[in-house]
Amino acid sequence: MSQEKDVLILAIESSCDETAAAVVKNGREVLSNVISSQIALHTLYGGVVPEIASRKHIEKINQVIQAALDEAGVTLQDITAVGVTYGPGLVGALLVGVAEAKAIAYAAKKPLIGVHHIEGHIAANFIEHEDLEPPFFSLVVSGGHTHLVRVKDYGKFDIIGKTRDDAAGEAFDKVARAIGLGYPGGPKIDKVAKEGNPDAITFPRAHVEDAPYDFSFSGLKSAVLNYINGCQMKGESYSQADVAASFQKAVTDVLVANAMHAVEEYQVDQFAIAGGVASNSSLRQAMKEACEERGVKFYYPSPVYCTDNAAMIGVAAYYEYRNGVRSGWDLNAVPNLKLGER
Ligand code: KG4
Ligand code: ZN
């Protein structure tokens, strides 16, 4: 019996504020997943400062990659191919990872595979769910994106809906800042909301006219700011926990409503959430219940694979590798890369 050789991907991710590297075996087995987070640094400024992010990536990237190789117990010679996020993201941040991946792949004479960041987020679901295979639907909710996606096959996507303005995570971060929770807002709102009443304040649930799968969060964000200003003008205090819980419920309601609309319309039987906001406890619970009610299998990654990491990029790179995708030595960072485009 012939035995196929293992495919080992060294993956690099530097699109925002995490410098990350991982080694992934045969698409689904994570041998190492090293993340150097800059969150503490950006917290000082209340959000990600692109210039600082690039500088930190350049400082950390070599150590992070070495640690990923060491932890996996492999050398560059053992690696089959190098995968790297080349968009979307902050251009200066992306360039650090892309330049590094090109240099390594060129020197070690390995194929190079440019990966779309959102494809990576979706692929994170394959790590812990052996049974999950396309076709399925996915809701990708992160700091930069809110996409409802039909995953037709590995590396093949249709975008069914997306946000018209703010991303879900961006709304979490802005509201958190407004109510004094600081950066990054998502996990802080998630925590504080547990002490609050989600029905205390009725915030708007926006539906985009003639586009049932699109999202809009800027009105919700403004409604929260107006509520806070209103309280302050009247000299009244407001409950941080109630605002957090009510805002979180409004976001969750809209995400779940659009997702379930798609489930019914497209007769979906498997649904996977992805991205930083996919670790939100209220969203996970509500999606789980809504999927169960409809007999849909529901998948979500562990929190470490929801927020930015390189393991997810390694998984996506593996499937692109199997599809025959190879990037040239002219691979560049594409800050506004569209999902499904190369
Ligand atoms: O996927 P990610 O790490 O980076 C992007 O690709 O954008 O997502 C980061 C976003 C941030 O906006 C953060 O506030 C949000 O994910 N986030 C959360 C939670 N954990 C992270 N939002 C809501 N609840 C959480 N538990
Ligand atoms: Zn991300």
Side-chain angles (χ1 to χ4, degrees):
M1 208 170 69
S2 77
Q3 194 152 13
E4 279 191 42
K5 208 168 162 272
D6 287 332
V7 174
L8 288 182
I9 305 281
L10 169 65
I12 300 170
E13 153 67 41
S14 70
S15 65
C16 191
D17 59 347
E18 331 278 353
T19 318
V23 177
V24 176
K25 182 173 158 185
N26 299 330
R28 300 216 178 201
E29 195 184 332
V30 177
L31 301 187
S32 64
N33 185 34
V34 178
I35 305 169
S36 169
S37 176
Q38 306 175 1
I39 285 179
L41 186 65
H42 296 290
T43 299
L44 300 171
Y45 305 94
V48 178
V49 184
E51 173 76 20
I52 294 177
S54 311
R55 290 177 189 210
K56 266 290 159 206
H57 285 313
I58 208 102
E59 209 175 289
K60 296 281 178 191
I61 198 152
N62 280 323
Q63 294 93 300
V64 167
I65 291 170
Q66 192 58 55
L69 291 168
D70 291 348
E71 230 173 79
V74 300
T75 67
L76 276 181
Q77 269 53 55
D78 304 320
I79 294 294
T80 314
V82 181
V84 63
T85 307
Y86 74 111
L90 303 169
V91 67
L94 288 164
L95 280 171
V96 175
V98 170
E100 177 87 8
K102 284 166 79 166
I104 292 176
Y106 187 78
K109 299 190 171 57
K110 306 288 178 183
L112 174 70
I113 301 160
V115 173
H116 192 290
H117 184 76
I118 294 186
E119 181 177 348
H121 273 304
I122 296 170
N125 277 285
F126 297 135
I127 298 169
E128 297 158 298
H129 306 298
E130 256 177 54
D131 60 321
L132 179 63
E133 285 186 38
F136 60 90
F137 260 61
S138 185
L139 174 71
V140 188
V141 271
S142 72
H145 310 278
T146 306
H147 278 35
L148 191 55
V149 179
R150 175 162 48 174
V151 183
K152 293 182 288 188
D153 202 344
Y154 293 108
K156 304 272 178 291
F157 311 95
D158 281 337
I159 300 170
I160 304 296
K162 57 177 189 257
T163 182
R164 295 292 181 98
D165 39 58
D166 291 351
E170 201 178 342
F172 268 95
D173 293 336
K174 286 177 179 168
V175 166
R177 193 182 310 164
I179 61 174
L181 288 174
Y183 175 84
K188 292 187 173 160
I189 288 192
D190 197 348
K191 187 157 176 253
V192 170
K194 291 191 167 58
E195 315 295 322
N197 173 7
D199 300 312
I201 311 149
T202 309
F203 289 128
R205 273 81 169 147
H207 293 283
V208 182
E209 191 96 22
D210 298 330
Y213 306 119
D214 279 357
F215 305 93
S216 167
F217 293 110
S218 66
L220 169 59
K221 177 194 66 194
S222 302
V224 176
L225 298 182
N226 287 343
Y227 175 81
I228 297 166
N229 287 341
C231 291
Q232 282 165 348
M233 302 244 293
K234 285 184 263 173
E236 291 170 3
S237 63
Y238 63 86
S239 156
Q240 202 183 38
D242 284 351
V243 173
S246 303
F247 159 77
Q248 184 172 271
K249 186 163 186 223
V251 175
T252 302
D253 280 356
V254 171
L255 292 172
V256 175
N258 288 14
M260 290 308 118
H261 189 162
V263 159
E264 281 155 21
E265 203 68 20
Y266 289 86
Q267 298 178 355
V268 174
D269 58 2
Q270 309 190 90
F271 200 103
I273 53 171
V277 184
S279 54
N280 182 266
S281 55
S282 153
L283 178 64
R284 284 162 105 98
Q285 188 57 31
M287 280 295 299
K288 185 168 171 277
E289 285 168 15
C291 283
E292 267 169 15
E293 266 170 36
R294 292 164 179 83
V296 174
K297 276 196 96 174
F298 175 57
Y299 298 90
Y300 52 90
S302 294
V304 68
Y305 296 128
C306 285
T307 43
D308 289 349
N309 65 89
M312 68 184 197
I313 302 303
V315 177
Y318 167 81
Y319 287 105
E320 293 291 0
Y321 176 81
R322 268 197 5 187
N323 284 347
V325 170
R326 306 286 184 271
S327 301
W329 298 127
D330 60 348
L331 182 70
N332 201 352
V334 184
N336 54 0
L337 185 67
K338 303 277 176 297
L339 185 63
E341 281 178 10
R342 287 227 144 248

